[in-house]
Amino acid sequence: MARIGATPGGGVHRLTLSDADREARDLFAKWCGEAGLSVAVDEMGNMFARRPGADEAAPPAMLGSHLDSVPCGGRFDGSLGVLAALEVVRSLNDRGLRTRRPLEIVNWTNEEGPRFPPAMLGSGVFCGKYARDWAYQVRDSEGRRFGEELARIGYQGTLPCRPRPLGCYLELHIEQGPVLETEKVQAGVVEGIVGIAWLRVTLKGERDHAGPTPMAMRRDALVGAARVIAAVRAMPAALHPDMVATVGELFVSPNAINVIPGRVTFSVDFRHRDEALMRRARERVLKAVEDAARGERLEVEVEDLGGSSPLPFHPEAVGAVEEACRAGGCSFRRMWSAAGHDARYAAELGPTAMIFIPCAGGKSHCEEEDAAWEDVARG
């Protein structure tokens, strides 16, 4: 799978609804067919590979994750959960075992979200958070609509994308952080997923010559942005040490060495498991934007790109993962996920849990992302 969209540094560049995404989907569907699974695709491109159970009327046990990546991302993020689920089914086939519930392996569409924000769009429509037709109109930075690109790659399915009961949902994932490796713990028993908020801020000043324009007369959009970015960086220390806040995108116009920037757009990403703190963080960001705009006499636009509220997982599902660790002689620790996952929305439809395994150096969303095969197999 990692050969599809492979990058020179050993990662993958497989953005949602790109040609590489289509190729990955085709390969996954081929492998599922070889394992005797029937593959269905819903209106959002979510793929469900089904293995019958003794009770076909029972809501399915669902396993999976996603095959899309961030730009120049890693080969384990998401793919691990999808391909591990396929390996589970192959192992059941090898042993001639039949489950009571049907099993479904899912490849969710647009878990990552950098091309078509917000993240977890496919599972978000599936659980009822977003309307399908609204999702179809989401555009990428080049103006292409989600629905049009979904049809272009041939994965706009006919299966309705709407909430349905799940017997349970389980997702295997690399931790994407350094805790397990640092503490030499073999597995993470995930208790829930923190809240995530995404904003896009645009500051408009006045483009002018960098030489003749006196400092007191400037309306420098980049100076305003720098003040907000500094405030975002300082926000977790002021609110809670477990909060994280990031500015990951920055677009400067006209982006010339001798021109005062007239327009700057940047993203803000902040996360925590306390809903009240998330609201306070948003208020602080907006106040920082307001102060910067006043100081540099700028116009402001703030776009809410969505996100998700904090969600604890089902205690019995989390307990089942913990018991599996004990039974297998695997060291573990309970922890919250600071990254978003499709399990966040699946949890609204049935008992849900996640398993984390260590990743090398805690690195993820980069080409250096790696995991030991021993840890993969254990997970």
Side-chain angles (χ1 to χ4, degrees):
M1 186 61 74
R3 294 191 187 105
I4 299 173
T7 64
V12 294
H13 185 82
R14 207 160 55 218
L15 300 184
T16 296
L17 310 188
S18 64
D19 291 344
D21 185 21
R22 172 172 51 196
E23 189 179 347
R25 289 165 174 268
D26 290 347
L27 181 60
F28 171 60
K30 175 177 176 289
W31 285 340
C32 288
E34 291 170 351
L37 307 178
S38 60
V39 179
V41 182
D42 73 12
E43 298 162 316
M44 285 293 292
N46 298 318
M47 300 174 69
F48 303 95
R50 186 177 177 98
R51 184 179 192 266
D55 181 2
E56 274 295 283
M62 189 176 284
L63 313 170
S65 194
H66 61 97
L67 294 174
D68 67 314
S69 82
V70 297
C72 295
R75 60 198 175 114
F76 286 91
D77 179 5
S79 297
L80 170 62
V82 176
L83 301 182
L86 179 57
E87 181 65 13
V88 167
V89 166
R90 286 171 168 173
S91 296
L92 291 171
N93 291 346
D94 291 344
R95 289 159 178 77
L97 296 175
R98 191 178 191 191
T99 57
R100 182 174 70 82
R101 294 183 183 277
L103 294 183
E104 288 189 4
I105 305 172
V106 59
N107 169 36
W108 298 107
T109 298
N110 197 52
E111 192 273 354
E112 293 293 3
R115 185 182 180 195
F116 293 105
M120 305 177 294
L121 193 56
S123 57
V125 173
F126 182 80
C127 88
K129 177 177 174 61
Y130 305 115
R132 181 205 64 183
D133 291 345
W134 175 85
Y136 280 176
Q137 298 306 313
V138 173
R139 294 176 183 263
D140 66 10
S141 60
E142 296 178 350
R144 297 187 181 95
R145 287 188 175 91
F146 178 95
E148 294 168 351
E149 288 294 277
L150 187 62
R152 182 188 69 82
I153 68 166
Y155 275 90
Q156 184 175 10
T158 57
L159 184 70
C161 186
R162 61 186 178 215
R164 59 183 169 97
L166 299 181
C168 57
Y169 177 86
L170 184 63
E171 184 168 347
L172 174 64
H173 211 282
I174 57 171
E175 180 198 347
Q176 299 186 284
V179 174
L180 295 177
E181 183 183 65
T182 300
E183 297 185 358
K184 295 181 170 53
V185 175
Q186 294 172 324
V189 178
V190 184
E191 295 185 276
I193 296 180
V194 302
I196 302 173
W198 282 4
L199 302 173
R200 180 172 288 139
V201 179
T202 299
L203 300 177
K204 300 176 185 177
E206 187 171 357
R207 172 178 171 171
D208 220 329
H209 199 296
T213 310
M215 298 303 289
M217 298 178 65
R218 299 184 178 204
R219 298 174 59 215
D220 191 326
L222 185 54
V223 169
R227 292 177 178 175
V228 178
I229 293 168
V232 169
R233 171 72 179 189
M235 185 171 66
L239 293 179
H240 197 282
D242 288 342
M243 178 173 281
V244 293
T246 306
V247 172
E249 289 181 343
L250 184 68
F251 303 96
V252 181
S253 177
N255 204 31
I257 192 169
N258 58 350
V259 181
I260 299 167
R263 180 187 179 102
V264 174
T265 299
F266 58 95
S267 63
V268 179
D269 172 318
F270 53 97
R271 309 176 183 216
H272 198 262
R273 62 176 179 261
D274 186 304
E275 188 73 53
L277 276 177
M278 291 288 286
R279 288 194 294 270
R280 288 175 59 190
R282 179 186 173 87
E283 291 168 2
R284 277 181 173 256
V285 171
L286 296 180
K287 178 67 163 53
V289 170
E290 181 183 310
D291 291 346
R294 186 184 305 110
E296 289 293 316
R297 296 173 291 121
L298 307 173
E299 298 174 29
V300 174
E301 291 179 7
V302 178
E303 181 183 2
D304 191 333
L305 298 180
S308 56
S309 57
L311 185 92
F313 287 150
H314 193 287
E316 289 186 28
V318 176
V321 175
E322 182 172 315
E323 285 305 310
C325 289
R326 294 185 195 279
C330 173
S331 63
F332 67 90
R333 64 162 287 168
R334 284 179 171 246
M335 60 197 307
W336 278 69
S337 172
H341 301 284
D342 293 301
R344 164 63 183 78
Y345 290 136
E348 299 189 11
L349 302 176
T352 292
M354 291 188 71
I355 302 166
F356 277 174
I357 63 166
C359 53
K363 289 186 172 294
S364 184
H365 280 190
C366 60
E367 293 176 301
E368 295 82 7
E369 179 183 282
D370 201 5
W373 290 113
E374 182 183 4
D375 290 326
V376 169
R378 184 182 294 112

